[in-house]
Amino acid sequence: VDESELLTVPDGWKEPAFTREDNPKGLLEESSFATLFPKYRESYLKECWPLVQKALGENYVNATLDLIEGSMTVTTTKKTFDPYAIIRARDLIKLLARSVPFEQVLRILQDDVACDIIKIGSLVRKRDTFIKRRGRLLGPKGSTLKALELLTNCYIMVQGNTVSALGPFSGLKEVRKVVLDTMKNIHPIYNIKTLMIKRELVKDPELRSQSWERFLPKFKRKNLKKRKEPKKKNTKKEYTPFPPPQPESQIDKELASGEYFLKDRQKKRKRVEEIKAKQADAVKKRQEERNKAFIPPKEKPVVKTKKASTEKKIDIEAIKEKVKNAKKKKLGALPVEEVKLKMAADEKKKKKK
């Protein structure tokens, strides 16, 4: 297809707002939505409910708060002309029930803002694993969530078993992908890196019509955990069609040893002798173990230290000569030979003059 024939949306273009002129007769029937909220949200909703009524009143939508039943209800009126206003009001009360602050919820009434509530409670079986992965989505001190908010231009609220996101449609799509991948044990930093690269590629007008696969990183999953090898390894024996040999019975063993032909007295005497032999061995072993405590340990051989030999003769005369020479020398004075050479050099200079 020729690129000139394709319709392109100019940068910064916005769809015109829906006004009363587009639907002057209003709506035919009344529509309403209701949602329950938890007990801990009651005090906050009491405070901000006048502001909620005021914001929805601008779009001609009524809002009621039932504290006894613990529910919020929104309904259209005869003056309501925007058919999508009730859908926005429904999303508004849903987000309020999910602990999203009113300042952020108010953005849902804009045309280019939508919301998405992602249920993550049933994606992981084990509770401990679920808590770890949900914490991974938040990051240390909420840094990962903050980075995701900046890249997608969305407000993200992680509360209990759900993730509430509020922002443009393109950003919500990315948020859902990152959240689901995190619950599938894919770290959010990989998706954040991809989003950062895409953000830079969008700025280049030449790359808009090209494929970005060559620029995007490709991460391979590595299973680092190795399977623990069992202590007892069962090795398969070679298959043979013949059955194993039949074990020998007690009578066969007695026949082989000749015990079968002995009399009862002889058999009893033999058994008693065997028992006595076993008992004697056991007593001998026990006695050896007891005697081990009385065996003295081997002493280390004593190493004799060599005394310093004091038999070296001291040369007293050599020491005396050194002392005499030291007395003759003055501190800082030159040796005798150097003094003679210096005097000879001074005499030569005088003769030349």
Side-chain angles (χ1 to χ4, degrees), residues 109-345:
L109 299 173
Q110 298 171 16
D111 286 337
D112 56 343
V113 178
C115 75
D116 189 9
I117 295 166
I118 308 154
K119 292 179 181 179
I120 57 172
S122 59
L123 297 174
V124 184
R125 286 183 183 178
K126 290 182 181 178
R127 185 69 184 170
D128 295 338
T129 313
F130 168 73
I131 291 162
K132 280 181 185 177
R133 289 180 189 177
R134 189 180 63 182
R136 198 182 291 168
L137 187 64
L138 293 165
K141 296 180 182 178
S143 57
T144 307
L145 199 68
K146 188 70 180 173
L148 199 61
E149 284 180 351
L150 291 168
L151 288 166
T152 56
N153 297 323
C154 293
Y155 174 82
I156 305 163
M157 181 76 183
V158 181
Q159 178 75 10
N161 294 335
T162 57
V163 177
S164 306
L166 183 75
F169 292 98
S170 58
L172 292 173
K173 191 178 176 183
E174 296 292 345
V175 169
R176 178 171 273 273
K177 185 180 179 296
V178 173
V179 170
L180 294 176
D181 283 352
T182 306
M183 289 295 129
K184 289 174 186 173
N185 202 20
I186 298 167
H187 204 281
I189 197 68
Y190 299 132
N191 287 311
I192 286 168
K193 279 184 180 178
T194 308
L195 288 170
M196 286 169 77
I197 293 162
K198 282 181 180 178
R199 198 178 189 183
E200 293 298 318
L201 291 170
V202 166
K203 293 174 185 177
D204 194 347
E206 292 179 4
L207 295 168
R208 283 189 179 182
S209 59
Q210 296 178 15
S211 178
W212 292 351
E213 283 184 13
R214 56 200 170 113
F215 301 108
L216 299 176
K218 292 175 183 177
F219 302 104
K220 290 180 181 178
R221 288 186 73 178
K222 291 180 181 178
N223 191 10
L224 298 174
K225 285 185 178 179
K226 289 183 179 178
R227 184 176 169 272
K228 289 182 180 178
E229 292 183 358
K231 288 181 181 178
K232 291 180 181 179
K233 290 184 179 180
N234 295 327
T235 53
K236 285 187 177 180
K237 295 176 182 178
E238 290 183 6
Y239 173 74
T240 53
F242 306 106
Q246 196 172 359
E248 288 184 349
S249 64
Q250 190 67 27
I251 295 165
D252 291 337
K253 288 176 183 176
E254 287 178 359
L255 284 166
S257 62
E259 193 181 340
Y260 184 78
F261 303 103
L262 295 173
K263 293 178 181 179
D264 292 340
R265 286 182 192 174
Q266 291 172 333
K267 283 181 184 178
K268 281 181 183 179
R269 198 186 302 149
K270 193 178 182 183
R271 282 172 200 159
V272 169
E273 285 174 2
E274 284 175 0
I275 290 163
K276 282 182 179 178
K278 283 181 182 179
Q279 285 175 352
D281 289 339
V283 169
K284 194 178 180 182
K285 283 180 182 178
R286 209 178 299 126
Q287 198 65 36
E288 284 174 1
E289 285 177 4
R290 284 175 184 171
N291 292 337
K292 278 179 185 177
F294 301 103
I295 297 166
K298 289 183 180 179
E299 294 181 359
K300 292 180 180 178
V302 180
V303 180
K304 292 181 180 180
T305 54
K306 291 181 180 180
K307 292 181 180 179
S309 59
T310 54
E311 297 175 2
K312 287 183 180 179
K313 293 179 180 180
I314 300 164
D315 197 353
I316 297 164
E317 291 178 2
I319 292 164
K320 285 180 180 179
E321 283 180 10
K322 281 182 182 178
V323 172
K324 282 180 184 178
N325 292 333
K327 282 182 180 178
K328 286 177 183 178
K329 287 181 182 179
K330 292 179 182 179
L331 289 168
L334 293 167
V336 179
E337 293 176 359
E338 286 184 15
V339 171
K340 287 178 181 179
L341 290 167
K342 206 170 188 182
M343 287 174 72

